[in-house]
mmCIF file of all heavy atoms in Angstrom:
data_model
loop_
_atom_site.group_PDB
_atom_site.id
_atom_site.type_symbol
_atom_site.label_atom_id
_atom_site.label_comp_id
_atom_site.label_asym_id
_atom_site.label_seq_id
_atom_site.Cartn_x
_atom_site.Cartn_y
_atom_site.Cartn_z
ATOM 1 N N ILE A 653 -11.742 168.494 -74.596
ATOM 2 C CA ILE A 653 -10.629 168.880 -73.733
ATOM 3 C C ILE A 653 -9.656 169.808 -74.473
ATOM 4 O O ILE A 653 -9.152 170.755 -73.905
ATOM 5 C CB ILE A 653 -9.916 167.639 -73.182
ATOM 6 C CG1 ILE A 653 -10.821 166.975 -72.183
ATOM 7 C CG2 ILE A 653 -8.575 168.011 -72.549
ATOM 8 C CD1 ILE A 653 -10.242 165.775 -71.533
ATOM 9 N N ASN A 654 -9.362 169.524 -75.719
ATOM 10 C CA ASN A 654 -8.430 170.295 -76.541
ATOM 11 C C ASN A 654 -7.049 170.412 -75.927
ATOM 12 O O ASN A 654 -6.397 171.456 -76.013
ATOM 13 C CB ASN A 654 -8.996 171.684 -76.883
ATOM 14 C CG ASN A 654 -8.148 172.366 -77.937
ATOM 15 O OD1 ASN A 654 -7.443 171.715 -78.710
ATOM 16 N ND2 ASN A 654 -8.196 173.682 -77.969
ATOM 17 N N GLN A 655 -6.610 169.375 -75.289
ATOM 18 C CA GLN A 655 -5.239 169.247 -74.795
ATOM 19 C C GLN A 655 -4.795 167.830 -75.137
ATOM 20 O O GLN A 655 -5.305 166.872 -74.565
ATOM 21 C CB GLN A 655 -5.167 169.428 -73.278
ATOM 22 C CG GLN A 655 -5.461 170.838 -72.820
ATOM 23 C CD GLN A 655 -4.289 171.762 -73.107
ATOM 24 O OE1 GLN A 655 -3.147 171.322 -73.089
ATOM 25 N NE2 GLN A 655 -4.582 173.005 -73.377
ATOM 26 N N ALA A 656 -3.874 167.683 -76.061
ATOM 27 C CA ALA A 656 -3.521 166.366 -76.585
ATOM 28 C C ALA A 656 -3.081 165.397 -75.491
ATOM 29 O O ALA A 656 -3.521 164.249 -75.473
ATOM 30 C CB ALA A 656 -2.433 166.498 -77.639
ATOM 31 N N TYR A 657 -2.241 165.850 -74.569
ATOM 32 C CA TYR A 657 -1.744 164.961 -73.524
ATOM 33 C C TYR A 657 -2.871 164.517 -72.604
ATOM 34 O O TYR A 657 -2.978 163.327 -72.269
ATOM 35 C CB TYR A 657 -0.633 165.632 -72.692
ATOM 36 C CG TYR A 657 0.568 166.003 -73.519
ATOM 37 C CD1 TYR A 657 0.930 167.335 -73.693
ATOM 38 C CD2 TYR A 657 1.331 165.010 -74.129
ATOM 39 C CE1 TYR A 657 2.047 167.667 -74.457
ATOM 40 C CE2 TYR A 657 2.442 165.325 -74.892
ATOM 41 C CZ TYR A 657 2.781 166.665 -75.057
ATOM 42 O OH TYR A 657 3.882 166.973 -75.818
ATOM 43 N N TRP A 658 -3.700 165.474 -72.180
ATOM 44 C CA TRP A 658 -4.833 165.117 -71.309
ATOM 45 C C TRP A 658 -5.852 164.252 -72.045
ATOM 46 O O TRP A 658 -6.429 163.340 -71.467
ATOM 47 C CB TRP A 658 -5.511 166.367 -70.740
ATOM 48 C CG TRP A 658 -4.764 166.937 -69.599
ATOM 49 C CD1 TRP A 658 -4.032 168.092 -69.583
ATOM 50 C CD2 TRP A 658 -4.662 166.369 -68.285
ATOM 51 N NE1 TRP A 658 -3.477 168.274 -68.355
ATOM 52 C CE2 TRP A 658 -3.846 167.219 -67.533
ATOM 53 C CE3 TRP A 658 -5.164 165.220 -67.701
ATOM 54 C CZ2 TRP A 658 -3.534 166.964 -66.208
ATOM 55 C CZ3 TRP A 658 -4.858 164.956 -66.382
ATOM 56 C CH2 TRP A 658 -4.054 165.823 -65.646
ATOM 57 N N SER A 659 -6.040 164.538 -73.303
ATOM 58 C CA SER A 659 -6.968 163.737 -74.102
ATOM 59 C C SER A 659 -6.492 162.286 -74.163
ATOM 60 O O SER A 659 -7.276 161.344 -73.976
ATOM 61 C CB SER A 659 -7.056 164.336 -75.511
ATOM 62 O OG SER A 659 -7.851 163.556 -76.328
ATOM 63 N N PHE A 660 -5.197 162.085 -74.419
ATOM 64 C CA PHE A 660 -4.624 160.742 -74.454
ATOM 65 C C PHE A 660 -4.781 160.047 -73.113
ATOM 66 O O PHE A 660 -5.286 158.938 -73.022
ATOM 67 C CB PHE A 660 -3.154 160.819 -74.850
ATOM 68 C CG PHE A 660 -2.451 159.487 -74.788
ATOM 69 C CD1 PHE A 660 -2.504 158.616 -75.858
ATOM 70 C CD2 PHE A 660 -1.765 159.104 -73.647
ATOM 71 C CE1 PHE A 660 -1.875 157.381 -75.805
ATOM 72 C CE2 PHE A 660 -1.126 157.864 -73.582
ATOM 73 C CZ PHE A 660 -1.199 156.997 -74.653
ATOM 74 N N PHE A 661 -4.363 160.721 -72.050
ATOM 75 C CA PHE A 661 -4.376 160.136 -70.708
ATOM 76 C C PHE A 661 -5.799 159.798 -70.262
ATOM 77 O O PHE A 661 -6.054 158.665 -69.793
ATOM 78 C CB PHE A 661 -3.727 161.118 -69.698
ATOM 79 C CG PHE A 661 -3.784 160.642 -68.295
ATOM 80 C CD1 PHE A 661 -2.965 159.607 -67.862
ATOM 81 C CD2 PHE A 661 -4.666 161.213 -67.392
ATOM 82 C CE1 PHE A 661 -3.036 159.146 -66.533
ATOM 83 C CE2 PHE A 661 -4.733 160.773 -66.085
ATOM 84 C CZ PHE A 661 -3.923 159.752 -65.647
ATOM 85 N N LEU A 662 -6.725 160.716 -70.397
ATOM 86 C CA LEU A 662 -8.099 160.466 -69.937
ATOM 87 C C LEU A 662 -8.773 159.382 -70.789
ATOM 88 O O LEU A 662 -9.540 158.573 -70.270
ATOM 89 C CB LEU A 662 -8.912 161.754 -69.962
ATOM 90 C CG LEU A 662 -8.483 162.791 -68.929
ATOM 91 C CD1 LEU A 662 -9.243 164.091 -69.124
ATOM 92 C CD2 LEU A 662 -8.672 162.259 -67.511
ATOM 93 N N SER A 663 -8.497 159.355 -72.076
ATOM 94 C CA SER A 663 -9.070 158.308 -72.941
ATOM 95 C C SER A 663 -8.515 156.940 -72.568
ATOM 96 O O SER A 663 -9.229 155.940 -72.592
ATOM 97 C CB SER A 663 -8.776 158.609 -74.404
ATOM 98 O OG SER A 663 -9.411 159.794 -74.778
ATOM 99 N N PHE A 664 -7.229 156.911 -72.230
ATOM 100 C CA PHE A 664 -6.596 155.652 -71.807
ATOM 101 C C PHE A 664 -7.265 155.148 -70.522
ATOM 102 O O PHE A 664 -7.611 153.971 -70.416
ATOM 103 C CB PHE A 664 -5.099 155.891 -71.566
ATOM 104 C CG PHE A 664 -4.293 154.651 -71.334
ATOM 105 C CD1 PHE A 664 -3.808 153.904 -72.405
ATOM 106 C CD2 PHE A 664 -3.999 154.223 -70.047
ATOM 107 C CE1 PHE A 664 -3.059 152.766 -72.195
ATOM 108 C CE2 PHE A 664 -3.259 153.081 -69.821
ATOM 109 C CZ PHE A 664 -2.780 152.335 -70.898
ATOM 110 N N ILE A 665 -7.482 156.023 -69.561
ATOM 111 C CA ILE A 665 -8.141 155.642 -68.287
ATOM 112 C C ILE A 665 -9.593 155.264 -68.538
ATOM 113 O O ILE A 665 -10.100 154.275 -67.986
ATOM 114 C CB ILE A 665 -8.036 156.798 -67.267
ATOM 115 C CG1 ILE A 665 -6.577 157.101 -66.944
ATOM 116 C CG2 ILE A 665 -8.844 156.506 -66.015
ATOM 117 C CD1 ILE A 665 -5.785 155.952 -66.389
ATOM 118 N N LEU A 666 -10.292 156.043 -69.380
ATOM 119 C CA LEU A 666 -11.696 155.755 -69.670
ATOM 120 C C LEU A 666 -11.857 154.372 -70.306
ATOM 121 O O LEU A 666 -12.882 153.711 -70.109
ATOM 122 C CB LEU A 666 -12.298 156.824 -70.577
ATOM 123 C CG LEU A 666 -13.762 156.627 -70.944
ATOM 124 C CD1 LEU A 666 -14.640 156.684 -69.686
ATOM 125 C CD2 LEU A 666 -14.195 157.667 -71.953
ATOM 126 N N HIS A 667 -10.876 153.947 -71.038
ATOM 127 C CA HIS A 667 -10.916 152.609 -71.647
ATOM 128 C C HIS A 667 -11.208 151.558 -70.592
ATOM 129 O O HIS A 667 -12.062 150.686 -70.765
ATOM 130 C CB HIS A 667 -9.595 152.301 -72.358
ATOM 131 C CG HIS A 667 -9.567 150.944 -72.957
ATOM 132 N ND1 HIS A 667 -9.748 150.726 -74.313
ATOM 133 C CD2 HIS A 667 -9.396 149.698 -72.414
ATOM 134 C CE1 HIS A 667 -9.698 149.431 -74.540
ATOM 135 N NE2 HIS A 667 -9.476 148.780 -73.408
ATOM 136 N N PHE A 668 -10.510 151.640 -69.453
ATOM 137 C CA PHE A 668 -10.683 150.647 -68.401
ATOM 138 C C PHE A 668 -12.018 150.791 -67.696
ATOM 139 O O PHE A 668 -12.627 149.795 -67.313
ATOM 140 C CB PHE A 668 -9.513 150.724 -67.417
ATOM 141 C CG PHE A 668 -8.201 150.418 -68.075
ATOM 142 C CD1 PHE A 668 -7.315 151.444 -68.396
ATOM 143 C CD2 PHE A 668 -7.866 149.108 -68.408
ATOM 144 C CE1 PHE A 668 -6.122 151.158 -69.037
ATOM 145 C CE2 PHE A 668 -6.660 148.825 -69.030
ATOM 146 C CZ PHE A 668 -5.797 149.852 -69.344
ATOM 147 N N ILE A 669 -12.480 152.018 -67.541
ATOM 148 C CA ILE A 669 -13.802 152.223 -66.944
ATOM 149 C C ILE A 669 -14.878 151.624 -67.833
ATOM 150 O O ILE A 669 -15.776 150.937 -67.361
ATOM 151 C CB ILE A 669 -14.044 153.727 -66.692
ATOM 152 C CG1 ILE A 669 -13.048 154.243 -65.625
ATOM 153 C CG2 ILE A 669 -15.478 153.984 -66.286
ATOM 154 C CD1 ILE A 669 -13.013 155.764 -65.503
ATOM 155 N N MET A 670 -14.759 151.850 -69.136
ATOM 156 C CA MET A 670 -15.722 151.286 -70.073
ATOM 157 C C MET A 670 -15.646 149.770 -70.077
ATOM 158 O O MET A 670 -16.679 149.087 -70.175
ATOM 159 C CB MET A 670 -15.471 151.833 -71.491
ATOM 160 C CG MET A 670 -15.795 153.308 -71.635
ATOM 161 S SD MET A 670 -15.250 153.995 -73.228
ATOM 162 C CE MET A 670 -16.351 153.165 -74.357
ATOM 163 N N ASP A 671 -14.445 149.214 -69.979
ATOM 164 C CA ASP A 671 -14.304 147.751 -69.966
ATOM 165 C C ASP A 671 -14.893 147.122 -68.710
ATOM 166 O O ASP A 671 -15.259 145.938 -68.733
ATOM 167 C CB ASP A 671 -12.847 147.356 -70.106
ATOM 168 C CG ASP A 671 -12.370 147.300 -71.543
ATOM 169 O OD1 ASP A 671 -13.209 147.429 -72.452
ATOM 170 O OD2 ASP A 671 -11.156 147.123 -71.768
ATOM 171 N N ALA A 672 -14.967 147.860 -67.620
ATOM 172 C CA ALA A 672 -15.552 147.311 -66.399
ATOM 173 C C ALA A 672 -17.065 147.143 -66.521
ATOM 174 O O ALA A 672 -17.646 146.289 -65.864
ATOM 175 C CB ALA A 672 -15.228 148.213 -65.205
ATOM 176 N N ILE A 673 -17.674 147.926 -67.388
ATOM 177 C CA ILE A 673 -19.133 147.805 -67.607
ATOM 178 C C ILE A 673 -19.387 146.560 -68.455
ATOM 179 O O ILE A 673 -18.778 146.402 -69.510
ATOM 180 C CB ILE A 673 -19.668 149.062 -68.336
ATOM 181 C CG1 ILE A 673 -19.401 150.319 -67.496
ATOM 182 C CG2 ILE A 673 -21.143 148.920 -68.656
ATOM 183 C CD1 ILE A 673 -19.594 151.599 -68.266
ATOM 184 N N PRO A 674 -20.247 145.662 -67.993
ATOM 185 C CA PRO A 674 -20.517 144.449 -68.790
ATOM 186 C C PRO A 674 -20.937 144.803 -70.212
ATOM 187 O O PRO A 674 -21.816 145.648 -70.412
ATOM 188 C CB PRO A 674 -21.653 143.766 -68.018
ATOM 189 C CG PRO A 674 -21.492 144.258 -66.617
ATOM 190 C CD PRO A 674 -21.014 145.676 -66.753
ATOM 191 N N HIS A 675 -20.281 144.185 -71.179
ATOM 192 C CA HIS A 675 -20.566 144.507 -72.556
ATOM 193 C C HIS A 675 -20.530 143.310 -73.503
ATOM 194 O O HIS A 675 -20.272 143.459 -74.690
ATOM 195 C CB HIS A 675 -19.615 145.629 -73.048
ATOM 196 C CG HIS A 675 -18.174 145.365 -72.800
ATOM 197 N ND1 HIS A 675 -17.548 145.686 -71.635
ATOM 198 C CD2 HIS A 675 -17.233 144.811 -73.579
ATOM 199 C CE1 HIS A 675 -16.283 145.343 -71.693
ATOM 200 N NE2 HIS A 675 -16.064 144.800 -72.875
ATOM 201 N N GLY A 676 -20.756 142.151 -72.974
ATOM 202 C CA GLY A 676 -21.011 141.001 -73.805
ATOM 203 C C GLY A 676 -19.808 140.264 -74.384
ATOM 204 O O GLY A 676 -20.002 139.362 -75.181
ATOM 205 N N ASP A 677 -18.588 140.620 -73.992
ATOM 206 C CA ASP A 677 -17.452 139.894 -74.563
ATOM 207 C C ASP A 677 -16.564 139.250 -73.516
ATOM 208 O O ASP A 677 -15.445 138.867 -73.825
ATOM 209 C CB ASP A 677 -16.626 140.809 -75.473
ATOM 210 C CG ASP A 677 -15.855 141.881 -74.725
ATOM 211 O OD1 ASP A 677 -16.081 142.066 -73.521
ATOM 212 O OD2 ASP A 677 -15.028 142.543 -75.368
ATOM 213 N N ARG A 678 -17.054 139.064 -72.334
ATOM 214 C CA ARG A 678 -16.254 138.461 -71.262
ATOM 215 C C ARG A 678 -15.731 137.085 -71.690
ATOM 216 O O ARG A 678 -14.581 136.758 -71.530
ATOM 217 C CB ARG A 678 -17.043 138.333 -69.978
ATOM 218 C CG ARG A 678 -16.213 137.721 -68.861
ATOM 219 C CD ARG A 678 -16.972 137.616 -67.556
ATOM 220 N NE ARG A 678 -17.395 138.913 -67.125
ATOM 221 C CZ ARG A 678 -18.637 139.154 -66.686
ATOM 222 N NH1 ARG A 678 -19.512 138.193 -66.625
ATOM 223 N NH2 ARG A 678 -18.983 140.355 -66.307
ATOM 224 N N GLY A 679 -16.607 136.278 -72.271
ATOM 225 C CA GLY A 679 -16.213 134.951 -72.684
ATOM 226 C C GLY A 679 -15.271 134.938 -73.867
ATOM 227 O O GLY A 679 -14.548 133.959 -74.087
ATOM 228 N N HIS A 680 -15.226 136.029 -74.629
ATOM 229 C CA HIS A 680 -14.362 136.067 -75.817
ATOM 230 C C HIS A 680 -12.888 135.975 -75.444
ATOM 231 O O HIS A 680 -12.090 135.394 -76.171
ATOM 232 C CB HIS A 680 -14.604 137.344 -76.613
ATOM 233 C CG HIS A 680 -15.937 137.373 -77.268
ATOM 234 N ND1 HIS A 680 -16.338 138.385 -78.097
ATOM 235 C CD2 HIS A 680 -16.975 136.513 -77.234
ATOM 236 C CE1 HIS A 680 -17.554 138.147 -78.551
ATOM 237 N NE2 HIS A 680 -17.973 137.014 -78.036
ATOM 238 N N ILE A 681 -12.522 136.566 -74.325
ATOM 239 C CA ILE A 681 -11.122 136.539 -73.915
ATOM 240 C C ILE A 681 -10.698 135.091 -73.647
ATOM 241 O O ILE A 681 -9.661 134.631 -74.115
ATOM 242 C CB ILE A 681 -10.904 137.399 -72.654
ATOM 243 C CG1 ILE A 681 -11.189 138.867 -72.997
ATOM 244 C CG2 ILE A 681 -9.490 137.248 -72.108
ATOM 245 C CD1 ILE A 681 -11.289 139.786 -71.803
ATOM 246 N N ASP A 682 -11.546 134.361 -72.901
ATOM 247 C CA ASP A 682 -11.223 132.964 -72.598
ATOM 248 C C ASP A 682 -11.266 132.111 -73.872
ATOM 249 O O ASP A 682 -10.452 131.209 -74.041
ATOM 250 C CB ASP A 682 -12.199 132.417 -71.569
ATOM 251 C CG ASP A 682 -12.058 133.135 -70.222
ATOM 252 O OD1 ASP A 682 -10.918 133.568 -69.901
ATOM 253 O OD2 ASP A 682 -13.061 133.283 -69.531
ATOM 254 N N GLU A 683 -12.254 132.390 -74.742
ATOM 255 C CA GLU A 683 -12.358 131.624 -75.986
ATOM 256 C C GLU A 683 -11.133 131.851 -76.866
ATOM 257 O O GLU A 683 -10.635 130.915 -77.483
ATOM 258 C CB GLU A 683 -13.622 132.029 -76.748
ATOM 259 C CG GLU A 683 -14.898 131.545 -76.095
ATOM 260 C CD GLU A 683 -16.138 132.092 -76.735
ATOM 261 O OE1 GLU A 683 -16.040 133.036 -77.565
ATOM 262 O OE2 GLU A 683 -17.226 131.605 -76.416
ATOM 263 N N PHE A 684 -10.658 133.078 -76.937
ATOM 264 C CA PHE A 684 -9.476 133.360 -77.741
ATOM 265 C C PHE A 684 -8.264 132.621 -77.165
ATOM 266 O O PHE A 684 -7.498 132.013 -77.906
ATOM 267 C CB PHE A 684 -9.194 134.852 -77.813
ATOM 268 C CG PHE A 684 -8.042 135.200 -78.695
ATOM 269 C CD1 PHE A 684 -8.203 135.284 -80.067
ATOM 270 C CD2 PHE A 684 -6.763 135.383 -78.162
ATOM 271 C CE1 PHE A 684 -7.134 135.568 -80.895
ATOM 272 C CE2 PHE A 684 -5.683 135.669 -78.990
ATOM 273 C CZ PHE A 684 -5.884 135.766 -80.364
ATOM 274 N N ALA A 685 -8.111 132.689 -75.850
ATOM 275 C CA ALA A 685 -6.963 132.043 -75.202
ATOM 276 C C ALA A 685 -6.983 130.541 -75.421
ATOM 277 O O ALA A 685 -5.934 129.916 -75.548
ATOM 278 C CB ALA A 685 -6.937 132.368 -73.718
ATOM 279 N N SER A 686 -8.180 129.945 -75.470
ATOM 280 C CA SER A 686 -8.277 128.509 -75.618
ATOM 281 C C SER A 686 -8.347 128.062 -77.088
ATOM 282 O O SER A 686 -8.315 126.869 -77.385
ATOM 283 C CB SER A 686 -9.495 127.988 -74.869
ATOM 284 O OG SER A 686 -10.701 128.438 -75.506
ATOM 285 N N GLY A 687 -8.476 129.006 -77.998
ATOM 286 C CA GLY A 687 -8.524 128.682 -79.412
ATOM 287 C C GLY A 687 -9.914 128.382 -79.953
ATOM 288 O O GLY A 687 -10.073 127.937 -81.082
ATOM 289 N N LYS A 688 -10.955 128.602 -79.137
ATOM 290 C CA LYS A 688 -12.337 128.350 -79.580
ATOM 291 C C LYS A 688 -12.851 129.517 -80.394
ATOM 292 O O LYS A 688 -12.509 130.670 -80.152
ATOM 293 C CB LYS A 688 -13.241 128.144 -78.365
ATOM 294 C CG LYS A 688 -12.936 126.912 -77.553
ATOM 295 C CD LYS A 688 -13.872 126.825 -76.379
ATOM 296 C CE LYS A 688 -13.528 125.652 -75.491
ATOM 297 N NZ LYS A 688 -14.331 125.626 -74.278
ATOM 298 N N ARG A 689 -13.715 129.227 -81.358
ATOM 299 C CA ARG A 689 -14.422 130.228 -82.160
ATOM 300 C C ARG A 689 -13.473 131.287 -82.754
ATOM 301 O O ARG A 689 -13.831 132.453 -82.808
ATOM 302 C CB ARG A 689 -15.512 130.900 -81.327
ATOM 303 C CG ARG A 689 -16.609 129.978 -80.945
ATOM 304 C CD ARG A 689 -17.651 130.611 -80.066
ATOM 305 N NE ARG A 689 -17.817 132.027 -80.353
ATOM 306 C CZ ARG A 689 -18.872 132.729 -79.979
ATOM 307 N NH1 ARG A 689 -19.836 132.159 -79.318
ATOM 308 N NH2 ARG A 689 -18.974 134.006 -80.240
ATOM 309 N N LEU A 690 -12.313 130.879 -83.182
ATOM 310 C CA LEU A 690 -11.334 131.848 -83.681
ATOM 311 C C LEU A 690 -11.807 132.579 -84.925
ATOM 312 O O LEU A 690 -11.547 133.770 -85.072
ATOM 313 C CB LEU A 690 -9.993 131.166 -83.942
ATOM 314 C CG LEU A 690 -9.173 130.827 -82.705
ATOM 315 C CD1 LEU A 690 -7.874 130.163 -83.091
ATOM 316 C CD2 LEU A 690 -8.905 132.056 -81.868
ATOM 317 N N LYS A 691 -12.526 131.892 -85.815
ATOM 318 C CA LYS A 691 -13.007 132.564 -87.014
ATOM 319 C C LYS A 691 -13.950 133.711 -86.680
ATOM 320 O O LYS A 691 -13.851 134.795 -87.215
ATOM 321 C CB LYS A 691 -13.710 131.562 -87.946
ATOM 322 C CG LYS A 691 -12.779 130.651 -88.693
ATOM 323 C CD LYS A 691 -13.545 129.761 -89.635
ATOM 324 C CE LYS A 691 -12.617 128.793 -90.320
ATOM 325 N NZ LYS A 691 -13.326 127.896 -91.237
ATOM 326 N N PHE A 692 -14.881 133.450 -85.744
ATOM 327 C CA PHE A 692 -15.801 134.491 -85.318
ATOM 328 C C PHE A 692 -15.062 135.638 -84.645
ATOM 329 O O PHE A 692 -15.278 136.809 -84.962
ATOM 330 C CB PHE A 692 -16.847 133.922 -84.343
ATOM 331 C CG PHE A 692 -17.693 134.977 -83.692
ATOM 332 C CD1 PHE A 692 -18.712 135.589 -84.407
ATOM 333 C CD2 PHE A 692 -17.472 135.366 -82.377
ATOM 334 C CE1 PHE A 692 -19.493 136.573 -83.809
ATOM 335 C CE2 PHE A 692 -18.228 136.333 -81.787
ATOM 336 C CZ PHE A 692 -19.260 136.944 -82.489
ATOM 337 N N LEU A 693 -14.163 135.309 -83.739
ATOM 338 C CA LEU A 693 -13.434 136.350 -83.017
ATOM 339 C C LEU A 693 -12.562 137.185 -83.941
ATOM 340 O O LEU A 693 -12.552 138.421 -83.853
ATOM 341 C CB LEU A 693 -12.589 135.721 -81.904
ATOM 342 C CG LEU A 693 -13.379 135.045 -80.783
ATOM 343 C CD1 LEU A 693 -12.456 134.321 -79.839
ATOM 344 C CD2 LEU A 693 -14.223 136.054 -80.035
ATOM 345 N N PHE A 694 -11.829 136.526 -84.854
ATOM 346 C CA PHE A 694 -11.001 137.279 -85.783
ATOM 347 C C PHE A 694 -11.842 138.113 -86.736
ATOM 348 O O PHE A 694 -11.508 139.257 -87.032
ATOM 349 C CB PHE A 694 -10.065 136.342 -86.584
ATOM 350 C CG PHE A 694 -8.800 136.021 -85.854
ATOM 351 C CD1 PHE A 694 -8.442 134.705 -85.637
ATOM 352 C CD2 PHE A 694 -7.957 137.017 -85.385
ATOM 353 C CE1 PHE A 694 -7.271 134.396 -84.963
ATOM 354 C CE2 PHE A 694 -6.784 136.714 -84.720
ATOM 355 C CZ PHE A 694 -6.439 135.397 -84.507
ATOM 356 N N SER A 695 -12.944 137.568 -87.232
ATOM 357 C CA SER A 695 -13.760 138.313 -88.178
ATOM 358 C C SER A 695 -14.396 139.530 -87.527
ATOM 359 O O SER A 695 -14.451 140.603 -88.129
ATOM 360 C CB SER A 695 -14.824 137.424 -88.815
ATOM 361 O OG SER A 695 -15.725 136.949 -87.838
ATOM 362 N N THR A 696 -14.854 139.405 -86.272
ATOM 363 C CA THR A 696 -15.418 140.578 -85.613
ATOM 364 C C THR A 696 -14.353 141.611 -85.305
ATOM 365 O O THR A 696 -14.590 142.812 -85.441
ATOM 366 C CB THR A 696 -16.153 140.192 -84.314
ATOM 367 O OG1 THR A 696 -15.268 139.502 -83.427
ATOM 368 C CG2 THR A 696 -17.366 139.344 -84.584
ATOM 369 N N ARG A 697 -13.167 141.177 -84.934
ATOM 370 C CA ARG A 697 -12.099 142.131 -84.633
ATOM 371 C C ARG A 697 -11.602 142.846 -85.890
ATOM 372 O O ARG A 697 -11.295 144.029 -85.867
ATOM 373 C CB ARG A 697 -10.913 141.445 -83.930
ATOM 374 C CG ARG A 697 -11.200 140.878 -82.549
ATOM 375 C CD ARG A 697 -12.166 141.710 -81.746
ATOM 376 N NE ARG A 697 -12.338 141.257 -80.385
ATOM 377 C CZ ARG A 697 -13.406 140.632 -79.935
ATOM 378 N NH1 ARG A 697 -14.396 140.331 -80.732
ATOM 379 N NH2 ARG A 697 -13.500 140.297 -78.662
#
């Protein structure tokens, strides 16, 4: 794109589009919130 503002904005929007595609971490959000598997979650992050 070579436009900093558009690059930021489109990348921000694309983040949500990418997150809508199943990618194997749906359960991680709930596990983090409940305190399960924290070592695994922190180490991967």
Side-chain angles (χ1 to χ4, degrees):
I653 290 182
N654 190 23
Q655 291 286 328
Y657 299 115
W658 280 108
S659 176
F660 174 85
F661 176 74
L662 292 173
S663 297
F664 189 85
I665 299 302
L666 180 63
H667 178 102
F668 298 103
I669 294 168
M670 291 171 68
D671 275 353
I673 300 167
H675 52 273
D677 70 350
R678 181 179 302 134
H680 291 184
I681 296 168
D682 296 328
E683 289 172 348
F684 184 82
S686 68
K688 295 179 184 174
R689 294 177 32 162
L690 285 180
K691 285 183 183 179
F692 171 76
L693 295 173
F694 276 125
S695 63
T696 57
R697 294 325 186 254

